[in-house]
Amino acid sequence: MQTDTMTATSAQTHVQSPAEHISSNPISLPKPLTAQMQQDVRHNWTLAEVNALYDMPFNDLMFKAQTVHRTHFDPNYVQVSTLLSIKTGACPEDCAYCPQSARYDTGLEKERLLEISKVIERAKEARATGSTRFCMGAAWRNPRERDMPYVVDMVKEVKSLGLETCMTLGMLTRDQAIALKQAGLDYYNHNLDTSPEYYGDIITTRTYQDRLDTLQNVRDSGMHVCSGGIVGMGETGDDRSGLLIALANLERHPESVPINMLVKVKGTPLDKVDDLDYFEFIRTIAIARIMMPQSFVRLSAGREAMNEQMQAMCFMAGANSIFYGCKLLTTSNPETHEDVMLFKKLGINSHQTKAYSDEAHEAALHDEIQLQQEQQAVPSDLFYDASAT
Ligand code: SF4
């Protein structure tokens, strides 16, 4: 199978449109694993080893991470996903960082499950702006059985557009995971959030083992696993190491590893937690890259507060995936055109950024305005009420 990595380098002679790129490369992959590269893939990391990586001089750590990155990936390719909230707020869980929890007064407007046609419109926009993966998130503890036919149809429709599909719907049973896989879902996101030791300070309504069980159900179904965590939640250095160990010591590494910087939202219990030093965040990206060399490490929430230089440093540390779009579920994210400009400055995905013309940008903007106008006129019966019991 041809990989995205190969396409990124071979595209210099043929400038692909974003849509062309997607249709010929439905699944993002690292370089094929050779026996030499296999040595980098370990599942027996210890706390002492990982703490020693955190203690390395910064330049040495960056060099090591970049070396691993270049061995396993095209260093100038960054996979782009778009994330859409398909059901917002009113979540019964108590994740201390999350504005979507019904337990915290964050002023967030809750929304019912989005109608499939609206999801498809958003997916088409994402495809037009160069995203290769479309992620759909619902603020649920877990999908109920009566929700399943609806989300299964949603997956089928998005998949038919030639996009990679990803969902995050909370805990999944084995049967639910199989049903989503059969519908064409490529990835399921379920984060471990933090270390097993710190977890109880952040969430009390489900256990670490619940999360591991869901990841196992996803893995057993044959879907790709997307799992990472959040740093800057007041955890210790050992906790950051512990999170990476929990991920890297899974039987198979998650194919996608989102590393989030906490976005402090007023009204949540973590609103006033101390800021994490940005260099500690970059180190976390670099160490994730070293520990999970074949995984896409995603620079996720918190990117809006990072300047271009900080983001470039994260790419140097081995981050090779981002979310496009102005919103990450409910918190803001850099505008798509800012990302395109940054990619252009850094020579990332040059075949894609060249193809992303002003005309294409204008067309996407026009579609966005039209969509917003239509949404204002949307009657409420176009929404499926997922929060109703
Ligand atoms: S992170 Fe997910 S499960 Fe936790 S409160 Fe937010 S929406 Fe609910």
Side-chain angles (χ1 to χ4, degrees), residues 91-95 97-98 100-101 138-141 206 211:
C91 181
E93 302 295 280
D94 69 350
C95 309
Y97 51 81
C98 184
Q100 302 208 63
S101 170
W140 283 327
R141 174 177 167 79
R206 69 177 87 168
R211 292 192 180 247

Side-chain angles (χ1 to χ4, degrees), residues 319-341:
N320 59 349
S321 175
I322 62 162
F323 280 119
Y324 260 176
C326 58
K327 254 192 173 185
L328 277 189
L329 292 179
T330 62
T331 56
S332 55
N333 199 40
E335 295 284 346
T336 305
H337 65 271
E338 289 177 12
D339 291 329
V340 172
M341 292 309 295

